[in-house]
């Protein structure tokens, strides 16, 4: 074998490459072509590997061998070429044949060309030569061949790449075996590639990244391995892998598709992974428009889809999604793999997506996917939950390839049309539906259903509420992407109401589940159930009496209030409910429910929902009493019972003391007159039990709202089975109703008459106890009578008397009197008679003080002082008296006793002599040198030192100061001003002037400034001047003030520098500061500061504003340049964070407040960080500078700054403010709004309507004349905006809000679809009808509300009338839902069909065909009446013919009540032959006709319709065969004249001679000859004919036999006639005549069947007259028949011939 191979190689080298002969002139061109093609074909080194795998797949393998491909890389240089590494490829194929060697030594001569049908997957024709990208010398060892190729030109032929060289050594077979492994035989073919040095790393990387799924779509190769041969395993640099493919089973689905499972396993160095792939392989015929030249021989596309169950095998971060037998690099993001014979890009990385061949394949992928997916989902016995993995194959995520997204969308459309979504089943049977027929439930409701199912609740009808419910194992959040892809929606909100009520999820479940139901409703009410029928479902459990639980819906719960008391309280309340029947509307939640609810973590959610929807209260005891109070209705018996209820509730522990006090606070009481009192200030115990009567004699509190209790409160009584004994209620009333008595009760604000005179000892002590108990709440009038009344017994100098407390002294210490005596002032003081009152009086020391009794030394001092002042009022105090007072004060100070009370008593008396006369010490001044300057300008009252002596007065400075005498100068400027003498203000000394300025600084009195302005008080260089004549420079404002020598400047040397510290004071009195010289410098500085905003801060800005304000207020003219700088420079800081010129700023006022939310307005920053609220003091100044200070003037700011935010942040006040702005803009712009403003307000949904937030163009103003309700459309929510909104109608219209019926119609016509309330929708329809609304041209036909089904229906599914009442379940018949006027509106506006169309009737009939075996008589009549009315156009006839496949038939057992049978159209016939009809009358094969006949549906009309529908006449469909007769000699010859005589022949010849029939003489002769030659035989046998009727759809045949009497056998020339009795009746004769005539006519005219009927009738008539000559002559003449002369000869010749 090796020798033959070597000879073959030598032959190729010699013959093809001229090695040893002449040089080939094309050698260089061929070399360059091979080099270019190999280098440019692929962009990456990996593709040489794919080409080798592809070649291996295309190889042929011996039978019984598992095709295997192995890659081994080694660092050994077994080829001795100096290669750093060598790659060996082993393949167990059949081996290289001669044609393969010759192909590899050529360019473009692949042995696989044109063999796509045979499974070859290669197509480039130069795949092997791509190995030159990684090697310079590839070696091939196969089936005796040992060759190599070289990329360098051969030295003999100057050609590289394709010139084979024989290899004798390096590598040797032993080297190859060693690398492969000595334990196994070498595979047939080995390719050895010594790698280029720069390709070792890329090749290793590519080998390490070979995808494990590479075998997935290869039909031959079952095993692929990659490994590195290395002596030290730790030095391995290639990730080894072994991939094994096994086909598990195969199931043929149909002739064009098959499915099977492939198991792939990949073993790497440290791991082994497996994955199973469900494979779907389907053929599709190649369409003509997708054919391409390179696939011209392919007739079918074979598409294989692989669905990985589990994690795909892979290496790296991504896995290919498209295979062309081998993987591309296209990551499709689809969860399945697409394999087909794609046309690849030259790089093999991708398929050519724009190629028409590939587009054709991709167009078939959706169909293949749907078939595969349906098979996976539906053709399995596994439970529904196990189907979830299959749904993960749906292409939920978008692909990065646009073309594949088209495939994805097509898959979505096709899958959505399939019944593949499982619904809930409780019987174990799986049910699948189209996605649009299945709805999802929210997870919370699934939890409820699972709980209910566990509690054996009946959920069998869960899918009977209008939609199928998705199986719970699918309806999970993790499946959202899949379910959204399929288009599954949530069930309607109404469904939940139906389910809860239909499945009784309130009563049939546990309390725990019931609470979960309530929680579900609470959490979703606002978003799901508001406005649905859920309000009518009985949901709320309540107890009306013990042991009885009732249900109520939310809508029906009112006026009841659901209460939540404690179990203990609830029983107590129910006991008393019999006493208080007024509380019957307060019901209780069952305790079992309440306990579960309280344990619920989200109980607040449920309770809040209940509070929103019904009246709910937690009903604490105090709440119950409050409700009870509201329902007592002034009944004094109930009021009395209420008091006992509270008493027993507290005593039994239902109420704590604190709660009892709260409940009794507003308790109504019955007074001593029997009146119920609910408004009172206080309560008195009954007089029979009170102390107050003994002290007051009557009720002095009555005017203050105090009542005296009813005596019945003391009686014994029984309520709610509980007894109260006599007086048992009184302690309760005292404690909780505050029933009072002296001394506890608060004294009245009235005089107590008894206090005007002496009180008994016990009453006096009771009075003091009363004061003690109420010391902090003693009314004035009461205390006046206590303090002023002479009721207190006193002693004075040993005698007793009753005096008012205010004139009494309670002696507590003897030292007090000693002190008074020592002070040389003797005053008699009346003392409380302690001996009279006893020691008990000592308990009331504080109360005596409160009553006015003096007890302290300070009071005694005050008493003494008052006494002295009374003396001073009558006479002047002497010098000694004055010094006595001073000495007494000094004495008290020395004794460390407080002199304040004594001083307070004497300080205001006018007893001290001053320079201004006698006066009180307060305000008098003790003269000292400090007061000298003050004495020059004022008349201060100095103490008369001549009278009292200056030296002696000095000794009492402290005492005088305590009396209020001013002894020191500092801080007494006000005293100077108050005694100012204006005549002393001229020519002041420096000290006096500075004192004046000090007074101004401290006080700024007008009394001082006015005189100063007219006085020559300032000394200048020019002498004394008035202030207005003076100038002084300002050191602090040097930029604005300059000093001019020609002006009188205040003499600084005279006054000193201190004069400059009185700038403000000087300005106040008129001193002038010249600003003109400072303006230029000030403006320059100002500009510099404003240019750099960082130089401006709060202080500088406020200083500028203050300066401006002061300058504007001054008498000087404001310099223009200075004014311009203030107005134009950007120096005001705004809330937007920048500095702006005044004209660009707004001073905030309250009118702007609500615009802040909707406009970024440049308000001056009034925050504490900047100007603060003081900025508003400059409002007028800012206005003069151009700042906007009124909202009306700031509309340009609003237009520029308007920025409407999210509508939820826009308050109603903001909208009203914005409308005010519209008002101002309209006034400002003569009724036209700026476009910029309109653009901003019209592009945002910011107006709150009853349909949510809308932009103005989508809003309406409500009009009562439209007979609509606010909630019917997008009417502006006037309740939300308030009544003020009505003032802005013009403004709303200006911004686009509609107020006319035309616009209302347009908006309501689109908004109506948001409604689900039938009443609202009907109102809108009536409005649209009255407004004559019509849809815009080109608009969609829209939808119409169907009230009974609470759904919107497409106009195409609606009709106005259904006269025949057939379409109640198929179409939406509007006359069943709306009144007459609206029906006309639907016809004209929506163009709703007036009645069902032909298409509707056909669809109805097809539905009957599909669902019924029989239809009712009424249905059948109605349908065919319609067809009869409308079957007058070709189009209608065609549509009916194509639509109707089954027709009504008459049946033997037919009755109207049982219905009319429907049969396939091909099995139904028109009974045009009554004899045949009789034969098949027992079979349902004849079309139905109404019985009795209906004028509008005549049999003629129906027959015509049936024929148009393709129904055939039975006469044309029946097959006739005649039964054979036995030739047994029973036949006898009859006389010809009896049947076939001259008369018959003549008649037939006359018929044939009719010129219109165009029967030639020769043909007539043949017919006559056949008649004449007939041999007529009579037989005893029955002559019968068999009729066969085919029923194609059933595959059946109906057979019927008929007695014929006569038969003509043409081949024999014999007519057989049944023997006929002589005494037969006329019917028999007529039957015989008919049969005879038909046989003769058919026998004679067998070639002209169209003439048989006419001839048969003619013969029949002749037979009946027994062929009488005269009768025949008449018959022929009547039929215009005659026999011509030449035809007469035919007759005679025929008979002549017969005789011979």
């Amino acid at each position: 074998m090796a020798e033959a191979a070597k000879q073959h190689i030598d032959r190729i080298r010699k013959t093809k490459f001229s090695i040893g002969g002449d040089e080939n002139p094309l050698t260089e061109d061929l070399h360059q072509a091979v080099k270019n093609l190999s280098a440019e074909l692929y962009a990456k080194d990996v593709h040489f590997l794919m080409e080798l795998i592809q070649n291996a797949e295309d190889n042929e393998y011996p039978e019984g061998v598992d095709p295997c491909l192995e890659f081994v890389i080694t660092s050994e240089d077994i080829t001795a070429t100096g290669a750093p590494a060598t790659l060996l490829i082993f393949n167990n194929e059949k081996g290289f044949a001669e044609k393969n060697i010759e192909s590899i030594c050529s360019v473009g001569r692949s042995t696989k060309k044109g063999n796509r049908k045979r499974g070859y997957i290669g197509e480039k024709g130069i795949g092997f030569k791509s190995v030159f990208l990684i090697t310079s010398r590839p070696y091939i060892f196969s089936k005796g061949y040992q060759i190599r190729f070289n990329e360098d030109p051969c030295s003999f032929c100057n050609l590289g790449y394709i010139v084979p060289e024989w290899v004798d050594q390096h590598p040797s077979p032993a080297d190859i075996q060693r690398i492969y492994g000595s334990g196994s035989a070498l595979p047939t073919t080995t390719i050895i590639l010594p790698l280029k040095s720069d390709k070792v790393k890329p090749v290793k990387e590519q080998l390490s990244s070979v995808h494990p799924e590479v075998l997935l779509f290869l039909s031959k190769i079952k095993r692929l391995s990659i490994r590195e041969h290395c002596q030290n395993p730790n030095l391995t640099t290639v990730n080894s892998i072994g991939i094994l493919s096994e086909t598990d089973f195969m199931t043929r689905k149909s002739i064009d598709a098959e499915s099977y499972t492939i198991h792939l396993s990949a073993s790497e160095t440290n791991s082994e992974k497996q994955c199973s792939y469900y494979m779907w392989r389907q053929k599709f015929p190649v369409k003509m428009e997708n054919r391409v030249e390179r696939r011209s021989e392919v007739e079918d596309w074979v598409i294989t889809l692989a669905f990985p169950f589990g994690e795909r095998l892979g290496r790296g971060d991504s896995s290919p999604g498209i295979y062309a037998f081998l993987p591309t690099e296209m990551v499709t993001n689809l969860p399945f793999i697409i394999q087909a014979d794609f046309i690849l890009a030259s790089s093999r990385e991708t398929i050519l997506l724009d190629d028409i061949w590939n587009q054709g394949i991709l167009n078939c992928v959706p169909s293949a996917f749907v078939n595969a997916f349906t098979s996976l989902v539906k053709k399995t016995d596994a439970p529904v939950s196990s189907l979830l993995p299959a749904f993960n194959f749906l292409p939920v995520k978008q692909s990065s390839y646009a073309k594949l997204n088209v495939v994805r969308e097509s898959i979505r459309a096709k899958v959505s049309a399939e019944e593949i979504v499982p619904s809930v089943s409780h019987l174990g049977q799986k049910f699948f539906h189209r996605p649009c027929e299945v709805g999802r439930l929210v997870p919370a409701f699934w939890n409820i259903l699972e709980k209910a199912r566990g509690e054996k609740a009946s959920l069998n009808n869960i899918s009977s509420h209008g939609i199928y419910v998705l199986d719970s194992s699918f309806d999970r959040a993790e499946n959202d992407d899949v379910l959204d892809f399929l288009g599954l929606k949530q069930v309607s909100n109404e469904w939940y109401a139906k389910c809860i009520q239909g499945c009784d999820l309130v009563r049939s479940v546990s309390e725990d589940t019931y609470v979960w139901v309530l929680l579900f409703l609470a959490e979703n009410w606002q978003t799901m159930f508001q406005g649905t029928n859920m309000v009518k479902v009985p949901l709320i459990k309540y107890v009306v009496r013990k042991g009885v639980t009732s249900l109520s819906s939310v809508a029906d719960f009112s006026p009841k209030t659901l209460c939540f008391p404690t179990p203990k309280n609830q029983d107590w309340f129910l006991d008393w409910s019999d006493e208080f029947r007024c509380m019957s509307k307060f019901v209780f939640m069952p305790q079992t429910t309440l306990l579960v609810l309280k344990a619920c973590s989200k109980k607040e959610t449920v309770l809040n929902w209940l509070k929103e929807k019904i009246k709910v209260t937690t009903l604490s005891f105090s709440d119950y009493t409050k409700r009870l109070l509201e329902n007592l209705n002034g009944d004094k018996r109930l009021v009395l019972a209420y008091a006992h209820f509270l008493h027993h509730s507290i005593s039994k522990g239902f109420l704590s003391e604190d709660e009892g006090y709260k409940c009794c606070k507003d308790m109504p009481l019955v007074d001593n007159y029997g009146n119920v009192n609910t408004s009172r200030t206080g309560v008195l115990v009954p007089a029979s039990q009170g102390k107050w009567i003994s002290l007051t004699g009557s009720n002095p509190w009555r005017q203050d709202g105090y009542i005296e209790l009813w005596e019945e409160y003391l009686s014994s009584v029984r309520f709610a089975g509980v007894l109260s004994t006599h007086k048992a209620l009184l302690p309760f009333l005292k404690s909780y109703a505050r029933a009072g008595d002296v001394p506890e009760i608060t004294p009245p604000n009235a005089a107590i008459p008894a206090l005007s005179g002496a009180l008994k000892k016990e009453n006096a002590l009771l009075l003091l106890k009363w004061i003690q108990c109420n010391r902090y709440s003693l009314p004035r009038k009461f205390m006046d009578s206590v303090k002023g009344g002479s009721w207190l017994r006193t002693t004075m100098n040993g005698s007793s008397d009753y005096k008012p407390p205010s004139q009494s002294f309670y002696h507590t210490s003897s030292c007090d009197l000693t002190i008074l005596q020592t002070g040389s002032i003797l005053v008699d003081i009346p003392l409380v008679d302690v001996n009279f009152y006893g020691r008990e009086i000592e308990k009331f020391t504080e109360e005596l003080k409160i009553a006015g009794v003096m007890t302290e030394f300070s009071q005694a001092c005050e008493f003494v002082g008052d006494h002295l002042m009374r003396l001073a009022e009558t006479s002047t105090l002497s010098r000694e008296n004055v010094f006595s007072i001073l000495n007494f004060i000094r004495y008290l100070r020395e004794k460390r006793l407080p002199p304040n009370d004594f001083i307070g008593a004497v300080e205001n008396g006018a007893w001290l002599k001053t320079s201004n006369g006698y006066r009180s010490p307060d305000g008098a001044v003790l003269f000292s040198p400090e007061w000298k300057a003050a004495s020059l300008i004022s008349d201060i009252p100095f103490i008369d030192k001549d009278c009292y002596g200056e030296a002696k007065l000095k000794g009492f400075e402290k005492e005088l100061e305590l009396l209020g005498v001013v002894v020191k100068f500092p801080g007494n400027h006000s005293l100077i001003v108050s005694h100012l003498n204006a005549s002393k203000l001229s020519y002041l000394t420096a000290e006096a002037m500075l004192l004046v300025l000090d007074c101004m600084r401290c006080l700024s009195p007008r009394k001082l400034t006015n005189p100063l302005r007219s006085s020559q008080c300032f000394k200048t260089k020019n002498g004394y001047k008035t202030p207005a004549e003076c100038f002084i420079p300002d050191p602090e404002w040097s930029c604005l003030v300059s000093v001019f020598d020609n002006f009188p400047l205040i003499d600084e040397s005279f006054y000193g520098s201190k004069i400059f510290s009185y700038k403000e004071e000087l300005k106040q009195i008129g001193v002038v500061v010249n600003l003109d010289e400072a303006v230029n410098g000030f403006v320059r500085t100002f500009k510099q500061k404003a240019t750099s905003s960082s130089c401006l801060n709060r202080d500088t800005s406020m200083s500028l504003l203050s300066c401006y304000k002061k300058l504007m207020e001054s008498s000087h003219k404001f310099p223009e340049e200075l004014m311009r700088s203030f107005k134009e420079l950007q120096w005001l800081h705004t809330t937007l964070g920048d500095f702006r010129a005044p004209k660009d700023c707004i001073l905030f006022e309250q009118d702007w407040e609500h615009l802040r939310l909707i406009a970024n307005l440049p308000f001056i920053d009034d925050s504490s960080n900047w100007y603060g609220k003081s900025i508003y003091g400059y409002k007028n100044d800012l206005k003069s500078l151009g700042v906007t200070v009124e909202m009306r003037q700031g509309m340009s700011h609003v237009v520029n700054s308007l920025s409407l935010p999210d509508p939820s942040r826009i308050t109603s006040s903001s909208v009203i403010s914005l409308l005010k702005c519209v008002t101002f803009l309209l006034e400002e712009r003569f009724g036209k709004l700026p476009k910029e403003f309109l653009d901003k307000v019209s592009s945002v949904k910011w107006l709150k309507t009853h349909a949510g937030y809308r932009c103005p163009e989508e809003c309406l103003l409500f009009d009562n004349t439209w007979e609509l309700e606010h909630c019917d459309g997008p009417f502006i929510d006037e309740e939300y905006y308030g009544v003020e909104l009505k003032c802005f109608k013009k403004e709303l219209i200006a911004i686009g809000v509609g107020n006319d019926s035309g616009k209302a119609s347009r908006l309501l016509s689109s908004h109506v679809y948001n409604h689900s309330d039938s009443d609202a929708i009907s109102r809108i329809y009536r409005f649209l009808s009255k407004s004559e609304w019509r849809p815009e041209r080109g608009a969609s036909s829209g939808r119409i509300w169907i009230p009974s089904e609470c759904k919107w229906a497409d106009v195409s599914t609606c009709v106005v009338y259904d006269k025949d009442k057939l379409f109640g379940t198929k179409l939406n018949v509007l006359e069943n839902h709306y009144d007459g006027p609206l029906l006309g509106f639907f016809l004209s506006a929506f163009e709703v069909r007036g009645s069902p169309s032909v298409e509707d009737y056909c669809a109805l009939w097809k539905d009957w065909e599909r669902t019924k075996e029989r239809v009712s008589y009424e249905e059948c009549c109605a349908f065919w009446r319609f067809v009869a009315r409308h079957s007058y156009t070709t189009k209608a006839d065609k549509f009916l013919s194509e639509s109707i496949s089954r027709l009504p038939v008459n049946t033997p057992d037919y009755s109207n009540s049982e219905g009319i049978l429907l049969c396939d159209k091909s099995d139904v016939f028109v009974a045009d032959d009554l004899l045949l009809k009789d034969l098949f009358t027992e079979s349902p094969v004849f079309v139905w006709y109404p019985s009795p006949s209906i004028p509008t549906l005549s049999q003629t009309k129906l027959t015509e319709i049936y024929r148009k529908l393709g129904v055939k006449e039975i006469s044309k469909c029946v097959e006739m065969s005649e039964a054979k007769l036995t030739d047994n000699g029973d036949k006898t010859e009859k006389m010809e004249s009896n049947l076939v005589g001259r008369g018959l022949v003549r008649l037939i010849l006359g018929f044939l001679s009719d010129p219109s029939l165009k029967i030639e003489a020769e043909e007539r002769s043949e017919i006559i000859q056949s008649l004449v030659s007939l041999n007529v035989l009579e037989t005893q046998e029955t002559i019968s004919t068999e009729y066969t009727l085919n029923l194609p759809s059933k595959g059946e045949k109906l057979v019927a036999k008929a007695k014929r009497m006569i038969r003509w056998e043409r081949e024999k020339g014999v007519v057989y006639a049944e023997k006929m009795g002589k005494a037969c009746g006329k019917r028999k004769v007529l039957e015989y005549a008919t049969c005879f005539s038909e046989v003769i006519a058919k026998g004679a005219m067998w070639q002209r069947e169209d003439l048989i009927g006419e001839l048969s009738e003619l013969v029949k008539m002749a037979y009946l007259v027994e062929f009488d000559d005269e009768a025949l002559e008449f018959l022929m003449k009547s039929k215009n028949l005659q026999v011509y002369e030449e035809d007469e000869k035919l007759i005679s010749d025929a008979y002549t011939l017969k005789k011979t």
Side-chain angles (χ1 to χ4, degrees), residues 1471-1513:
D1472 64 322
D1473 189 321
L1474 298 181
L1475 293 176
L1476 290 175
K1477 179 181 179 182
D1478 289 342
L1479 291 176
F1480 295 97
T1481 190
E1482 294 300 318
S1483 300
V1485 295
F1486 297 107
V1487 290
W1488 166 86
Y1489 299 99
S1491 178
S1493 180
I1494 301 174
T1496 57
L1497 194 60
S1498 66
Q1499 184 167 333
T1500 303
K1501 183 63 176 177
L1502 263 180
T1503 301
E1504 178 185 357
I1505 293 171
Y1506 288 145
R1507 286 194 172 103
K1508 289 181 178 179
L1509 294 176
V1511 180
K1512 299 178 180 178
E1513 291 88 352

